[in-house]
């Protein structure tokens, strides 16, 4: 057994622990209201309650994007450790600067891991979401809008951007807890497929 044979199982366990102990409790702790109320409030208390629900949904969306960035960062780091252990050849002149999705394909091919189309799509979406959360408007935001338009359905009845009026379209990216769960599950499943040891969790 080679050293790198243990890596997928360790990576899968690390993702699962982070999700179970930190991310899932964090998501569960944030209230999300299915419909925000507008119009003239009958009292100051009603107005403040409505404002609080807007803040709740905004905060939950920020948390979902932040957790997606954390998962993406962890998975990218794991992938590069695995790739170096496998001696994956790259075209990049600077180690660690290989394009993520391209490097993912190379690693999977090197270790004969089937990169299913649903996983590939989830990884691409997760990677773009992480970039948009980091950098705001730019090429990743444009690509994500084309690749996953459902994440850009801006309905004030569900979500209100609390920033002062601005032209940043990236502020209207709307993520749900289910999206975060899907990203984490995809990472765990990938490492399960890459696990060549007995009793792998796929």
């Amino acid at each position: 057994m080679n050293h790198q044979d243990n890596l997928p199982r360790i990576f899968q366990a690390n993702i699962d622990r982070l999700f179970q102990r930190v991310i899932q409790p964090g998501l569960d702790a944030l209230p999300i209201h299915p419909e925000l109320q507008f119009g003239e409030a009958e009292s100051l208390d009603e107005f403040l309650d409505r404002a609080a629900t807007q803040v709740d949904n905004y905060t939950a969306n920020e948390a979902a994007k932040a957790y997606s960035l954390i998962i993406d960062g962890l998975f990218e780091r794991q992938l590069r450790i695995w790739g170096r252990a496998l001696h994956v050849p790259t075209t990049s002149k600077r180690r660690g600067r290989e394009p993520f999705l391209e490097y993912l394909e190379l690693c999977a091919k090197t270790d004969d891991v089937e990169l299913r189309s649903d996983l590939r799509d989830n990884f691409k979406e997760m990677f773009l979401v992480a970039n948009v959360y980091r950098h705001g408007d730019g090429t990743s935001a444009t690509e994500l809008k084309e690749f996953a338009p459902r994440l850009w359905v801006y309905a004030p009845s569900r979500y209100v951007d609390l920033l002062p009026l601005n032209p940043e379209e990236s502020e209207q990216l709307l993520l749900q807890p289910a999206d975060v769960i899907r990203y984490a599950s995809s990472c765990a499943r990938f490492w399960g497929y890459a696990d060549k040891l007995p009793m792998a969790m796929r």
Side-chain angles (χ1 to χ4, degrees), residues 70-111:
I70 290 170
I71 295 167
D72 176 77
L74 173 58
F75 184 70
E76 281 196 56
R77 194 175 79 242
Q78 291 175 337
L79 184 70
R80 295 189 191 282
I81 293 170
W82 187 55
R84 287 192 282 270
L86 294 173
H87 305 290
V88 173
T90 70
T91 57
S92 176
K93 295 180 179 178
R94 298 178 65 188
R95 191 173 80 164
R97 293 300 180 105
E98 305 87 1
F100 166 63
L101 296 172
E102 183 181 304
Y103 193 64
L104 174 62
E105 297 273 2
L106 284 171
C107 289
K109 184 177 180 180
T110 299
D111 205 39

Side-chain angles (χ1 to χ4, degrees), residues 136-153:
D137 284 8
T139 56
S140 289
T142 301
E143 189 174 352
L144 183 60
K145 286 186 78 170
E146 294 174 358
F147 185 73
R150 70 188 181 285
L151 301 181
W152 300 85
V153 179

Side-chain angles (χ1 to χ4, degrees), residues 10 18-19 32 64 67 70 72 74 78 85 94 107 131 136 142 147 149 152 165 171 173 189 195 197:
I10 295 169
L18 180 68
F19 182 79
I32 298 176
Y67 285 136
I70 290 170
D72 176 77
L74 173 58
Q78 291 175 337
R94 298 178 65 188
C107 289
N131 273 358
T142 301
F147 185 73
W152 300 85
L165 288 177
E171 289 303 309
L173 171 62
R189 284 171 57 206
D195 190 344
L197 300 178

Side-chain angles (χ1 to χ4, degrees), residues 122-176:
N122 286 339
F123 289 141
K124 180 175 180 178
E125 184 180 308
M126 175 182 71
F127 175 73
L128 291 172
V129 164
N131 273 358
V132 171
Y133 187 62
R134 263 193 299 250
H135 305 297
D137 284 8
T139 56
S140 289
T142 301
E143 189 174 352
L144 183 60
K145 286 186 78 170
E146 294 174 358
F147 185 73
R150 70 188 181 285
L151 301 181
W152 300 85
V153 179
Y154 181 77
S157 61
R158 296 170 58 216
Y159 175 75
V160 174
D161 179 10
L162 298 184
L163 294 181
L165 288 177
N166 65 83
E168 294 287 313
E169 292 184 343
S170 56
E171 289 303 309
Q172 295 184 3
L173 171 62
L174 183 60
L175 237 58
Q176 301 296 322

Side-chain angles (χ1 to χ4, degrees), residues 2 7 16-17 20-21 55 83 96 100 104 114 118 130-131 144 157 172 176 185 192:
N2 296 319
L7 291 176
D16 183 63
R17 280 190 290 264
Q20 297 290 343
R21 298 181 186 183
V55 171
F100 166 63
L104 174 62
E114 180 188 2
D118 60 327
N131 273 358
L144 183 60
S157 61
Q172 295 184 3
Q176 301 296 322
S185 297

